[in-house]
Amino acid sequence: MADEIKLPLDSFEKLTKGDTLDSEKIAAPSLTFVQDAWRRLKKNKGAVISMWILILFFILAFGSILWSPHDPNAVNPQFANLPPKWPGIGINGLNGTLVQAGERVNAYAQAGAGANVHYIFGTDYLGRDLLSRMLYGTRISLIIAVVATFFDLTIGVTYGIVSGWKGGRVDNFMQRVIEIILSIPNLVVIVLLILILKPGMTSIILAIAFTGWTTMARLVRAQTLEIKEQEYVLAAETLGESSFKIAFKHLLPNLSSVIIIQTMFTIPNAIFFEALLSYIGIGISSPKASLGTLLNDGQKNFQFLPYQMWYPAIVLSIIMIAFNLFGDGLRDAFDPQSQSRG
């Protein structure tokens, strides 16, 4: 009788033990920090769409180096101010017609253009293809933004880590330097650089590089002050690791999310700053094109030929919105608690 009772008890103990082990197993596969962030980013549809839009703009802008519909700087007065004409499209505004003296006329026929002549976005007041100039101008704007962001990364990250790691009087002095730099308006810096250098990419990049890194430095410093008090950093110091090794081994990996997020917001700010300078005439100079110069040229004929301003304005708006949405998505992906804090 005792054996009969013991067998069910043993089976029950084994069954209970097996259920406990199964409940302690990790059901989902282990993910790295980057994989987990990518998983959260993919759930944000707006950020994913913005990412693909930005990739498309980069491909079109830099791909135009190899292929472009027309020479962006080629002048053809015969075809000046032609409206957009898309092959096979009969919709007004896209069929090469415009309104003159209350009547809709074929601008291409009046200019003596052949049946095979098509300008997708029309031409400007010198007969230059707007599509080619927009591709060229977008590339110039993106190059300025990327180079300026490179300075933001190299100067801002290094400055912030050193300031936060050293602390004390060194940190206090370095932060006062940042406050002095922030007190100088960017417009004053660019005007002073134009007096020394010629208006163009170099002066704009230097103006952005002079003050643009301060925000990155402050964010990195704040995170460094928090991270350097962690146990693993204190243990590395106790083991005698150098500050340089600790910075690359412990600080930078934990600062990567802040750096990436801030970079995504730095690029659109640089693009907008370049467009503003070129629009008011102290940025990229003719005959080179940028989104700002295209807006400046287009606003001169906006009342009669609004497409010359609408297309570059739409491109600039899409790029700015896409970068900001993508930056918000990266912030939520790398720091999920930011949503609850916001």
Side-chain angles (χ1 to χ4, degrees), residues 140-207:
I140 293 295
S141 298
L142 290 175
I143 289 174
I144 291 174
V146 170
V147 175
T149 303
F150 171 77
F151 284 105
D152 189 20
L153 288 173
T154 53
I155 301 175
V157 173
T158 304
Y159 196 95
I161 289 178
V162 172
S163 179
W165 181 257
K166 291 294 184 181
R169 293 182 178 180
V170 175
D171 179 37
N172 189 35
F173 173 77
M174 296 178 74
Q175 293 309 303
R176 300 296 81 74
V177 172
I178 288 181
E179 291 176 1
I180 293 172
I181 293 175
L182 287 175
S183 66
I184 305 174
N186 284 345
L187 197 57
V188 174
V189 175
I190 189 67
V191 171
L192 292 175
L193 288 173
I194 288 175
L195 295 176
I196 302 172
L197 305 172
K198 294 181 180 179
M201 291 180 58
T202 304
S203 57
I204 294 176
I205 291 173
L206 290 177

Coordinates of all heavy atoms in Angstrom, one line a residue, residues 140-207:
I140 N 24.1 69.6 -52.5 CA 24.9 70.6 -51.8 C 24.4 70.8 -50.3 O 25.2 70.8 -49.4 CB 24.8 71.9 -52.5 CG1 25.5 71.8 -53.9 CG2 25.5 73.0 -51.7 CD1 27.0 71.5 -53.9
S141 N 23.1 70.8 -50.1 CA 22.6 71.0 -48.8 C 22.9 69.8 -47.9 O 23.2 70.0 -46.7 CB 21.0 71.3 -48.9 OG 20.7 72.4 -49.6
L142 N 22.8 68.6 -48.4 CA 23.1 67.4 -47.6 C 24.6 67.3 -47.3 O 24.9 66.9 -46.2 CB 22.6 66.2 -48.4 CG 21.1 66.0 -48.5 CD1 20.8 64.8 -49.4 CD2 20.4 65.9 -47.1
I143 N 25.4 67.7 -48.3 CA 26.9 67.7 -48.0 C 27.2 68.7 -46.9 O 28.0 68.3 -46.0 CB 27.6 68.0 -49.3 CG1 27.5 66.9 -50.3 CG2 29.1 68.3 -49.0 CD1 28.2 67.2 -51.7
I144 N 26.7 69.9 -47.0 CA 26.9 70.8 -45.9 C 26.5 70.3 -44.6 O 27.2 70.4 -43.5 CB 26.3 72.2 -46.2 CG1 26.9 72.8 -47.4 CG2 26.3 73.1 -45.0 CD1 26.2 74.1 -47.9
A145 N 25.3 69.7 -44.5 CA 24.7 69.2 -43.3 C 25.6 68.1 -42.7 O 25.8 68.0 -41.5 CB 23.3 68.7 -43.5
V146 N 26.0 67.1 -43.6 CA 26.8 66.0 -43.1 C 28.1 66.4 -42.6 O 28.6 65.9 -41.6 CB 26.9 64.9 -44.3 CG1 27.9 63.9 -43.9 CG2 25.6 64.3 -44.6
V147 N 28.8 67.3 -43.3 CA 30.1 67.8 -42.9 C 30.0 68.6 -41.6 O 30.8 68.4 -40.7 CB 30.8 68.7 -44.0 CG1 32.1 69.3 -43.5 CG2 31.0 67.8 -45.3
A148 N 29.0 69.4 -41.5 CA 28.8 70.2 -40.2 C 28.5 69.2 -39.1 O 29.0 69.4 -38.0 CB 27.6 71.2 -40.4
T149 N 27.7 68.1 -39.4 CA 27.5 67.2 -38.3 C 28.7 66.4 -37.9 O 28.9 66.0 -36.7 CB 26.4 66.2 -38.8 OG1 25.2 66.9 -39.2 CG2 26.0 65.2 -37.7
F150 N 29.6 66.2 -38.9 CA 30.9 65.6 -38.5 C 31.7 66.4 -37.5 O 32.2 65.8 -36.5 CB 31.7 65.4 -39.8 CG 33.2 64.9 -39.5 CD1 33.4 63.6 -39.2 CD2 34.2 65.8 -39.6 CE1 34.7 63.1 -39.0 CE2 35.5 65.4 -39.4 CZ 35.8 64.0 -39.0
F151 N 31.7 67.7 -37.7 CA 32.4 68.6 -36.7 C 31.6 68.5 -35.4 O 32.2 68.6 -34.3 CB 32.4 70.0 -37.2 CG 33.5 70.2 -38.3 CD1 33.2 70.4 -39.6 CD2 34.8 70.3 -37.9 CE1 34.1 70.6 -40.5 CE2 35.8 70.5 -38.8 CZ 35.5 70.7 -40.2
D152 N 30.3 68.5 -35.5 CA 29.5 68.4 -34.3 C 29.8 67.1 -33.5 O 29.9 67.2 -32.2 CB 28.0 68.3 -34.7 CG 27.1 68.5 -33.5 OD1 27.5 69.0 -32.4 OD2 25.9 68.1 -33.6
L153 N 30.0 66.0 -34.2 CA 30.4 64.8 -33.5 C 31.8 64.8 -32.9 O 32.0 64.5 -31.7 CB 30.3 63.6 -34.5 CG 28.9 63.2 -34.9 CD1 28.9 62.1 -36.0 CD2 28.1 62.6 -33.7
T154 N 32.8 65.2 -33.7 CA 34.2 65.1 -33.3 C 34.4 66.1 -32.2 O 35.0 65.8 -31.1 CB 35.1 65.4 -34.5 OG1 34.7 66.6 -35.1 CG2 35.0 64.3 -35.5
I155 N 34.0 67.4 -32.3 CA 34.3 68.4 -31.3 C 33.3 68.3 -30.1 O 33.8 68.2 -29.0 CB 34.1 69.8 -32.0 CG1 35.1 70.0 -33.1 CG2 34.4 70.9 -30.9 CD1 35.0 71.3 -33.9
G156 N 32.0 68.1 -30.4 CA 31.0 68.1 -29.3 C 31.2 66.9 -28.4 O 31.1 67.1 -27.2
V157 N 31.3 65.7 -29.0 CA 31.5 64.5 -28.2 C 32.7 64.5 -27.3 O 32.7 64.2 -26.1 CB 31.4 63.2 -29.1 CG1 31.7 62.0 -28.2 CG2 30.0 63.1 -29.7
T158 N 33.9 64.9 -28.0 CA 35.1 64.9 -27.3 C 35.1 66.0 -26.1 O 35.5 65.7 -25.0 CB 36.3 65.3 -28.2 OG1 36.3 64.3 -29.3 CG2 37.6 65.2 -27.5
Y159 N 34.6 67.1 -26.4 CA 34.5 68.2 -25.5 C 33.6 67.8 -24.3 O 33.9 68.1 -23.1 CB 34.0 69.5 -26.1 CG 34.2 70.8 -25.4 CD1 35.3 71.6 -25.6 CD2 33.3 71.2 -24.4 CE1 35.5 72.8 -24.9 CE2 33.5 72.4 -23.7 CZ 34.6 73.2 -24.0 OH 34.7 74.3 -23.3
G160 N 32.5 67.2 -24.6 CA 31.5 66.8 -23.5 C 32.1 65.8 -22.6 O 31.9 65.8 -21.4
I161 N 32.8 64.8 -23.2 CA 33.4 63.7 -22.4 C 34.4 64.2 -21.5 O 34.5 63.9 -20.3 CB 33.9 62.6 -23.3 CG1 32.7 61.8 -24.0 CG2 34.8 61.6 -22.5 CD1 33.2 60.7 -24.9
V162 N 35.3 65.0 -22.0 CA 36.4 65.6 -21.2 C 35.9 66.5 -20.1 O 36.3 66.4 -18.9 CB 37.4 66.4 -22.1 CG1 38.4 67.2 -21.2 CG2 38.1 65.5 -23.1
S163 N 34.9 67.3 -20.4 CA 34.3 68.2 -19.4 C 33.6 67.4 -18.3 O 33.8 67.7 -17.1 CB 33.3 69.1 -20.1 OG 32.7 70.0 -19.1
G164 N 32.8 66.4 -18.7 CA 32.1 65.6 -17.7 C 33.0 64.7 -16.9 O 32.8 64.5 -15.7
W165 N 34.1 64.1 -17.5 CA 35.0 63.2 -16.9 C 35.9 63.9 -15.9 O 36.1 63.5 -14.8 CB 35.8 62.5 -17.9 CG 36.8 61.5 -17.3 CD1 38.1 61.6 -17.1 CD2 36.4 60.2 -16.8 NE1 38.6 60.5 -16.6 CE2 37.6 59.6 -16.3 CE3 35.2 59.5 -16.7 CZ2 37.7 58.3 -15.7 CZ3 35.3 58.2 -16.1 CH2 36.5 57.7 -15.6
K166 N 36.4 65.1 -16.3 CA 37.3 65.8 -15.4 C 36.6 66.4 -14.2 O 37.0 66.3 -13.1 CB 38.1 66.9 -16.2 CG 39.0 66.4 -17.2 CD 40.2 65.7 -16.6 CE 41.3 65.3 -17.6 NZ 42.4 64.6 -17.0
G167 N 35.5 67.1 -14.5 CA 34.7 67.7 -13.4 C 35.4 68.9 -12.8 O 36.5 69.3 -13.2
G168 N 34.9 69.3 -11.7 CA 35.5 70.4 -10.9 C 35.8 71.7 -11.6 O 34.9 72.1 -12.4
R169 N 37.0 72.3 -11.4 CA 37.3 73.5 -12.1 C 37.4 73.4 -13.6 O 37.0 74.4 -14.3 CB 38.6 74.1 -11.5 CG 38.5 74.4 -10.0 CD 39.8 75.0 -9.5 NE 39.8 75.4 -8.1 CZ 40.8 76.0 -7.5 NH1 42.0 76.1 -8.1 NH2 40.6 76.3 -6.2
V170 N 37.9 72.3 -14.1 CA 38.0 72.1 -15.5 C 36.6 72.1 -16.1 O 36.4 72.8 -17.2 CB 38.7 70.8 -15.8 CG1 38.7 70.5 -17.3 CG2 40.2 70.8 -15.3
D171 N 35.7 71.4 -15.6 CA 34.3 71.3 -16.1 C 33.7 72.7 -16.0 O 33.0 73.2 -17.0 CB 33.5 70.3 -15.3 CG 32.1 70.3 -15.7 OD1 31.8 70.4 -16.9 OD2 31.2 70.2 -14.9
N172 N 33.9 73.4 -14.9 CA 33.3 74.8 -14.8 C 33.9 75.7 -15.8 O 33.1 76.5 -16.4 CB 33.7 75.3 -13.4 CG 32.9 76.6 -13.0 OD1 31.8 76.8 -13.5 ND2 33.5 77.5 -12.3
F173 N 35.2 75.7 -16.1 CA 35.8 76.5 -17.1 C 35.3 76.2 -18.5 O 35.0 77.1 -19.3 CB 37.3 76.4 -17.0 CG 38.0 77.1 -18.2 CD1 38.2 78.5 -18.1 CD2 38.5 76.4 -19.3 CE1 38.8 79.2 -19.2 CE2 39.2 77.1 -20.3 CZ 39.3 78.4 -20.2
M174 N 35.2 74.9 -18.8 CA 34.8 74.5 -20.1 C 33.3 74.9 -20.4 O 32.9 75.2 -21.5 CB 35.0 73.0 -20.3 CG 36.4 72.6 -20.3 SD 36.7 70.8 -20.4 CE 36.4 70.5 -22.2
Q175 N 32.5 74.8 -19.4 CA 31.1 75.2 -19.5 C 30.9 76.7 -19.7 O 30.1 77.2 -20.4 CB 30.3 74.8 -18.4 CG 30.1 73.3 -18.2 CD 29.7 72.6 -19.5 OE1 28.6 72.9 -20.1 NE2 30.5 71.7 -20.0
R176 N 31.8 77.5 -19.1 CA 31.8 79.0 -19.3 C 32.2 79.3 -20.8 O 31.7 80.2 -21.3 CB 32.7 79.7 -18.3 CG 32.4 79.4 -16.9 CD 31.1 80.0 -16.4 NE 30.0 79.2 -16.7 CZ 29.7 78.0 -16.1 NH1 30.5 77.6 -15.1 NH2 28.6 77.4 -16.4
V177 N 33.1 78.5 -21.3 CA 33.5 78.7 -22.7 C 32.3 78.5 -23.6 O 32.1 79.3 -24.6 CB 34.7 77.8 -23.1 CG1 34.9 77.9 -24.6 CG2 35.9 78.2 -22.3
I178 N 31.5 77.4 -23.4 CA 30.3 77.1 -24.2 C 29.3 78.3 -24.1 O 28.7 78.7 -25.1 CB 29.7 75.8 -23.7 CG1 30.6 74.6 -24.1 CG2 28.3 75.7 -24.3 CD1 30.0 73.3 -23.7
E179 N 29.2 78.8 -22.9 CA 28.2 79.9 -22.7 C 28.6 81.2 -23.5 O 27.8 81.9 -24.1 CB 28.1 80.3 -21.2 CG 27.3 79.2 -20.4 CD 27.3 79.5 -19.0 OE1 27.8 80.6 -18.6 OE2 26.8 78.7 -18.2
I180 N 29.9 81.4 -23.5 CA 30.5 82.6 -24.3 C 30.2 82.3 -25.8 O 29.7 83.3 -26.5 CB 32.0 82.7 -24.1 CG1 32.2 83.2 -22.6 CG2 32.5 83.8 -25.0 CD1 33.7 83.2 -22.2
I181 N 30.4 81.1 -26.3 CA 30.2 80.8 -27.7 C 28.7 80.9 -28.0 O 28.3 81.5 -29.1 CB 30.7 79.4 -28.0 CG1 32.2 79.4 -27.9 CG2 30.3 79.0 -29.4 CD1 32.8 78.0 -28.1
L182 N 27.8 80.5 -27.2 CA 26.4 80.5 -27.4 C 25.9 82.0 -27.4 O 24.8 82.3 -28.0 CB 25.6 79.7 -26.3 CG 25.7 78.2 -26.5 CD1 25.1 77.5 -25.3 CD2 25.1 77.7 -27.8
S183 N 26.6 82.9 -26.8 CA 26.2 84.3 -26.8 C 26.4 85.0 -28.1 O 25.9 86.1 -28.3 CB 26.9 85.0 -25.6 OG 28.3 85.1 -25.9
I184 N 27.2 84.4 -29.0 CA 27.5 85.0 -30.3 C 26.5 84.4 -31.3 O 26.5 83.2 -31.6 CB 28.9 84.7 -30.7 CG1 29.9 85.1 -29.6 CG2 29.2 85.4 -32.1 CD1 31.4 84.7 -29.9
P185 N 25.7 85.3 -31.9 CA 24.7 84.8 -32.9 C 25.4 84.2 -34.1 O 26.5 84.7 -34.6 CB 23.9 86.0 -33.3 CG 24.1 87.0 -32.2 CD 25.5 86.7 -31.7
N186 N 24.8 83.1 -34.7 CA 25.4 82.5 -35.9 C 25.5 83.4 -37.1 O 26.4 83.3 -37.8 CB 24.5 81.3 -36.3 CG 24.7 80.1 -35.4 OD1 25.7 80.0 -34.6 ND2 23.8 79.1 -35.4
L187 N 24.5 84.3 -37.2 CA 24.5 85.3 -38.3 C 25.7 86.2 -38.3 O 26.3 86.5 -39.3 CB 23.2 86.1 -38.3 CG 22.9 86.8 -39.7 CD1 22.8 85.8 -40.8 CD2 21.6 87.5 -39.5
V188 N 26.1 86.6 -37.1 CA 27.3 87.4 -36.9 C 28.5 86.7 -37.3 O 29.4 87.2 -38.0 CB 27.4 87.9 -35.4 CG1 28.7 88.7 -35.2 CG2 26.2 88.8 -35.1
V189 N 28.6 85.4 -36.9 CA 29.8 84.6 -37.3 C 29.9 84.4 -38.8 O 31.0 84.6 -39.4 CB 29.6 83.2 -36.6 CG1 30.8 82.3 -37.1 CG2 29.7 83.3 -35.1
I190 N 28.8 84.1 -39.5 CA 28.8 83.9 -40.9 C 29.2 85.2 -41.6 O 29.9 85.2 -42.6 CB 27.5 83.4 -41.4 CG1 27.6 82.9 -42.9 CG2 26.4 84.4 -41.3 CD1 28.5 81.8 -43.2
V191 N 28.7 86.4 -41.2 CA 29.1 87.6 -41.8 C 30.6 87.9 -41.6 O 31.2 88.4 -42.6 CB 28.2 88.8 -41.2 CG1 28.7 90.1 -41.7 CG2 26.8 88.6 -41.6
L192 N 31.1 87.6 -40.5 CA 32.5 87.8 -40.2 C 33.4 86.9 -41.1 O 34.4 87.3 -41.7 CB 32.9 87.6 -38.8 CG 32.3 88.6 -37.8 CD1 32.6 88.2 -36.4 CD2 32.9 90.0 -38.1
L193 N 32.9 85.7 -41.3 CA 33.6 84.7 -42.1 C 33.6 85.1 -43.6 O 34.5 84.9 -44.4 CB 33.0 83.3 -42.0 CG 33.4 82.6 -40.6 CD1 32.6 81.3 -40.5 CD2 34.9 82.3 -40.5
I194 N 32.4 85.7 -44.0 CA 32.3 86.1 -45.4 C 33.3 87.3 -45.7 O 33.8 87.4 -46.8 CB 30.8 86.5 -45.7 CG1 30.0 85.3 -45.8 CG2 30.7 87.3 -47.0 CD1 28.5 85.6 -45.9
L195 N 33.5 88.1 -44.7 CA 34.5 89.2 -44.9 C 35.9 88.6 -45.1 O 36.7 89.3 -45.7 CB 34.5 90.1 -43.7 CG 33.2 90.9 -43.4 CD1 33.3 91.7 -42.1 CD2 32.9 91.8 -44.6
I196 N 36.2 87.4 -44.5 CA 37.5 86.8 -44.7 C 37.5 85.9 -45.8 O 38.5 85.9 -46.7 CB 37.9 86.1 -43.4 CG1 37.8 87.1 -42.2 CG2 39.2 85.4 -43.5 CD1 38.0 86.4 -40.8
L197 N 36.5 85.0 -45.9 CA 36.4 84.0 -47.0 C 35.3 84.5 -48.0 O 34.6 85.4 -47.8 CB 36.1 82.7 -46.4 CG 37.0 82.1 -45.3 CD1 36.4 80.9 -44.7 CD2 38.4 81.9 -45.8
K198 N 35.3 83.7 -49.1 CA 34.3 84.0 -50.1 C 33.0 83.3 -49.7 O 33.0 82.3 -49.0 CB 34.7 83.4 -51.5 CG 35.9 84.1 -52.1 CD 36.2 83.5 -53.5 CE 37.4 84.2 -54.1 NZ 37.7 83.5 -55.4
P199 N 31.8 83.9 -50.0 CA 30.5 83.2 -49.7 C 30.5 81.9 -50.4 O 30.8 81.7 -51.6 CB 29.5 84.2 -50.3 CG 30.2 85.5 -50.4 CD 31.6 85.2 -50.7
G200 N 30.1 80.8 -49.6 CA 30.0 79.5 -50.2 C 30.0 78.4 -49.2 O 29.7 78.7 -48.0
M201 N 30.3 77.2 -49.6 CA 30.2 76.1 -48.7 C 31.1 76.2 -47.5 O 30.8 75.9 -46.4 CB 30.4 74.8 -49.5 CG 29.3 74.4 -50.4 SD 29.7 72.9 -51.3 CE 29.9 71.7 -50.0
T202 N 32.3 76.6 -47.8 CA 33.4 76.6 -46.7 C 32.9 77.6 -45.6 O 33.0 77.2 -44.4 CB 34.7 77.1 -47.3 OG1 35.1 76.2 -48.3 CG2 35.8 77.1 -46.2
S203 N 32.5 78.8 -45.9 CA 32.1 79.7 -44.8 C 30.9 79.2 -44.1 O 30.8 79.4 -42.9 CB 31.8 81.1 -45.5 OG 30.8 81.0 -46.5
I204 N 29.9 78.6 -44.8 CA 28.7 78.1 -44.1 C 29.1 76.9 -43.1 O 28.7 76.9 -42.0 CB 27.7 77.6 -45.1 CG1 27.2 78.8 -45.9 CG2 26.5 76.9 -44.4 CD1 26.2 78.4 -47.0
I205 N 30.0 76.0 -43.6 CA 30.4 74.9 -42.8 C 31.1 75.4 -41.6 O 30.9 74.9 -40.4 CB 31.2 73.9 -43.6 CG1 30.3 73.2 -44.7 CG2 31.9 72.9 -42.7 CD1 31.1 72.3 -45.6
L206 N 32.0 76.3 -41.7 CA 32.8 76.8 -40.6 C 31.9 77.6 -39.6 O 32.1 77.5 -38.4 CB 33.9 77.8 -41.1 CG 35.0 77.1 -41.8 CD1 36.0 78.2 -42.3 CD2 35.8 76.1 -41.0
A207 N 30.9 78.3 -40.1 CA 29.9 79.0 -39.2 C 29.1 78.0 -38.4 O 28.9 78.2 -37.2 CB 29.0 79.9 -40.0

